[in-house]
Amino acid sequence: MDDKRPDRTTMEGMIWNANHVLDQALGPETEGIPRGMVQNCQGIILLSVVEAGFIFSGHVGTGIIVANNDDGSWSPPSAIALGGIGCGLVIGAEVKDIVMCITRWEESTLEALAGDHQFKFGGQVSATIGPIGREAEVSFHLSEKGYGQTFTYTFTRGVFAGLSLESAILSVRSKENKRFYGKAANSKEILLENAVECPKGKGIEELHRKLDLLREGKVSIPTPSELEKKDSMR
């Protein structure tokens, strides 16, 4: 790992942070995400969100989305951003790591991913707190209302935590995707149409390896020095 973390607003920084999010989800001290959830989902969103405020709380974040391909591989990542404002007493600022499992690609979600569009939680995408436990049985009760269903897991320093995403806006960062991959391709093309090649040495191999561990219901144990270094670089 480099001594200096990449700028969190770049794809390199978002991949770096996504790997940190997965470290939280794979930690042996957590109850874990059901492997059946990861095996059967069609996509995963990995976000790092800063929540702060007093009286009115706000959260902003950056992250990536990847597709879970039918052949068991993972797609290249696509850059996304999150923003939202809610009510509630929040004093100070806190970083929260979020894993969101998308049960299926709804048409409205695909349309948003195909252009410079946004989609709203509680509107086009329904966000539900997911079941926990790596060996927990899961069943999907899929909506027919035309919006995507996601199951959300939020961590603060390895512990499950709460974060309301109601009315939060998720947007595609098309310009950053173009800069990173060196060509224009929308998120739908990146995720589902194999339109780009994954650059080497950018953390994507590590990302895919950790997603495989998540899908297998395994844990990953970074050394204390690795955790301390990562926390200091956030």
Side-chain angles (χ1 to χ4, degrees), residues 155-230:
F155 305 89
T156 299
R157 294 188 178 276
V159 178
F160 282 107
L163 176 67
S164 174
L165 294 177
E166 190 71 19
S167 299
I169 300 294
L170 198 65
S171 58
V172 175
R173 298 191 60 204
S174 299
K175 291 182 179 179
E176 185 57 26
N177 283 333
K178 181 178 180 180
R179 182 200 67 80
F180 183 73
Y181 291 112
K183 62 182 292 187
N186 64 48
S187 284
K188 183 180 178 182
E189 292 168 338
I190 293 170
L191 298 173
L192 304 178
E193 299 176 13
N194 200 29
V196 298
E197 295 288 334
C198 290
K200 300 294 184 182
K202 300 293 186 179
I204 298 177
E205 297 92 341
E206 179 185 1
L207 174 75
H208 288 169
R209 179 182 63 81
K210 289 179 179 178
L211 286 170
D212 283 340
L213 291 175
L214 197 67
R215 181 164 52 195
E216 294 165 6
K218 296 181 179 179
V219 300
S220 178
I221 309 176
T223 65
S225 61
E226 287 175 333
L227 284 175
E228 182 179 356
K229 188 174 183 180
K230 277 199 168 186

Side-chain angles (χ1 to χ4, degrees), residues 64-157:
I64 58 172
I65 180 171
V66 295
N68 187 5
N69 297 321
D70 292 338
D71 64 2
S73 64
W74 298 96
S75 75
S78 177
I80 55 176
L82 177 83
I85 297 176
C87 294
L89 182 60
V90 179
I91 300 174
E94 187 172 33
V95 176
K96 294 188 176 181
D97 298 313
I98 299 175
V99 179
M100 305 184 74
C101 297
I102 304 170
T103 59
R104 67 176 179 181
W105 301 114
E106 295 287 354
E107 192 60 37
S108 59
T109 308
L110 290 175
E111 287 176 0
L113 292 174
D116 294 316
H117 301 303
Q118 301 175 332
F119 41 104
K120 183 177 181 180
F121 291 103
Q124 291 158 298
V125 178
S126 173
T128 304
I129 296 174
I132 60 174
R134 292 182 175 90
E135 300 301 323
E137 294 186 7
V138 296
S139 61
F140 298 128
H141 301 283
L142 298 176
S143 167
E144 299 297 337
K145 296 180 180 178
Y147 52 71
Q149 174 72 40
T150 68
F151 289 92
T152 304
Y153 299 87
T154 306
F155 305 89
T156 299
R157 294 188 178 276

Side-chain angles (χ1 to χ4, degrees), residues 2-75:
D2 294 335
D3 288 334
K4 184 178 180 181
R5 63 155 294 165
D7 183 343
R8 69 173 64 245
T9 64
T10 66
M11 177 71 94
E12 290 86 349
M14 288 182 279
I15 293 170
W16 189 98
N17 235 43
N19 278 310
H20 183 89
V21 173
L22 287 172
D23 286 340
Q24 304 297 299
L26 290 166
E29 72 279 2
T30 72
E31 295 183 71
I33 299 172
R35 61 178 179 173
M37 175 77 71
V38 183
Q39 290 167 356
N40 293 296
C41 74
Q42 293 189 333
I44 288 184
I45 294 171
L46 300 162
L47 289 165
S48 182
V49 175
V50 177
E51 183 181 41
F54 183 81
I55 306 301
F56 291 100
S57 63
H59 41 267
V60 294
T62 56
I64 58 172
I65 180 171
V66 295
N68 187 5
N69 297 321
D70 292 338
D71 64 2
S73 64
W74 298 96
S75 75

